[in-house]
Amino acid sequence: MEFGTLNRHLIAEIYSVNREGVPTGGVTIKAPVTDSNLEVSLSWQSPFEAKGPEATHPALMAMVQSGEGADLLSAAGGAVKGAANFMGVGGALSSATSSLSGLASSMGLDVGSLLTQSQGRTGLTKMNSTQVFTGMPPIKINITLLFRAWSDAKSEVESPFSQLMQWALPQCLQKDSLLTGAIKALAGAPTSCAGGAFGTGFVPGALAALLPSQAPQMVGLTYKGRTYSPLVIESVGMPMNSPITADGNYIELLVPLSMSTLSALDAKDWKAIK
C-alpha cells in the first residue's frame, strides 16, 4: 500500500508475534493514525491513613478540630444546670460537678481548655500518609487507524481490516461441547480445532479435551519509531455507515483500536521500546 510522501513515522505497522514479542512473519498491516493515546495506570495507596483518630472517630475529631466541641461543652453545662435548678436537684448536681472538676484538676486536666487548644489540630502526619506501591495493570494503547482506498478498495481497505479482525478474534472455537470434544480427543478423532498443538497420546489428548479452543493472536505495533510488543487486542470498532463501492467494498474505514500489553512493564521494558 502506498501513502505518497506521508512520513513513515505517521504510519502504524501491526503484525503477528509470539508470546515473547518476536514477529512470526506473514502479513503486516499498515495504516495512518489519526488519533493515539498511551495510558499508564499506577496504583499507590496510603494504608496507614485508617490508623489515625480521624478514621477511628471521625465525628468526634471533626467536632474537636472545628471548635464545635468546646462550644457544645459550654452550652451543655449551662443547659444542664438550668434544668437541674428547675427540677430541684441543683445542689446535688453542683456537688457532683465540683467533684468531677476537682478530679480533673488533680490529674492536671482542663477539658474545656483542652478542647479549645485542640482546634485546628489534626492527627495526620507524613508517616501515616505515606503511600506504598500496590501494583499496576498492563499499559493501554488506544489508536484510530485510517483505511482508505486510493486505487483498489478490496486490497487497501477490506483485506487489512479483515486481517485485523482475524487477529482480534479467537483463532478457533471448538463447535462441540467439552464432553463431546473430550471423547473425540481421547479417541484420537479429529476435532473442529484440531491442529496438533498437543501432539498425540493420552496426556496430550486430555489437554486438548480440557483446552479445545485457541486464543486470539498476539500482535506487535510499530509507530513513530517505537515498538510495542507483545500486545493483545481488546476491542475493534467498525463504522458500518462508512461509504462503499458499487460492489459493496468499503472505500474508507476509520477504525478505533484498543490494545494492551500482555503484562505490566518495568523500566527496562520501557527503555527497550524506543
Side-chain angles (χ1 to χ4, degrees), residues 106-209:
S106 65
M107 298 175 63
L109 298 177
D110 184 346
V111 178
S113 177
L114 288 176
L115 288 176
T116 301
Q117 295 177 20
S118 298
Q119 295 180 30
R121 308 287 295 184
T122 178
L124 179 68
T125 66
K126 288 187 176 182
M127 180 56 67
N128 64 24
S129 64
T130 299
Q131 297 194 80
V132 296
F133 181 66
T134 58
M136 62 176 293
I139 292 177
K140 301 283 187 179
I141 298 178
N142 299 304
I143 62 176
T144 302
L145 302 175
L146 174 61
F147 296 107
R148 185 172 182 178
W150 299 100
S151 58
D152 182 18
K154 187 172 183 179
S155 63
E156 294 176 306
V157 179
E158 292 285 347
S159 293
F161 180 76
S162 176
Q163 181 62 71
L164 184 63
M165 287 297 295
Q166 291 178 56
W167 286 337
L169 297 173
Q171 298 177 59
C172 182
L173 293 177
Q174 179 173 273
K175 295 186 299 182
D176 302 319
S177 66
L178 286 178
L179 180 58
T180 302
I183 295 174
K184 288 184 178 181
L186 294 175
T191 59
S192 59
C193 287
F198 293 108
T200 59
F202 178 80
V203 174
L207 290 175

Side-chain angles (χ1 to χ4, degrees), residues 38-54:
L38 185 147
E39 179 182 348
V40 181
S41 299
L42 304 170
S43 299
W44 288 85
Q45 296 181 1
S46 301
F48 307 110
E49 286 184 353
K51 304 300 182 182
E54 283 84 1

Side-chain angles (χ1 to χ4, degrees), residues 88-113:
V89 294
L93 181 61
S94 177
S95 177
T97 302
S98 299
S99 299
L100 290 175
S101 299
L103 178 62
S105 298
S106 65
M107 298 175 63
L109 298 177
D110 184 346
V111 178
S113 177

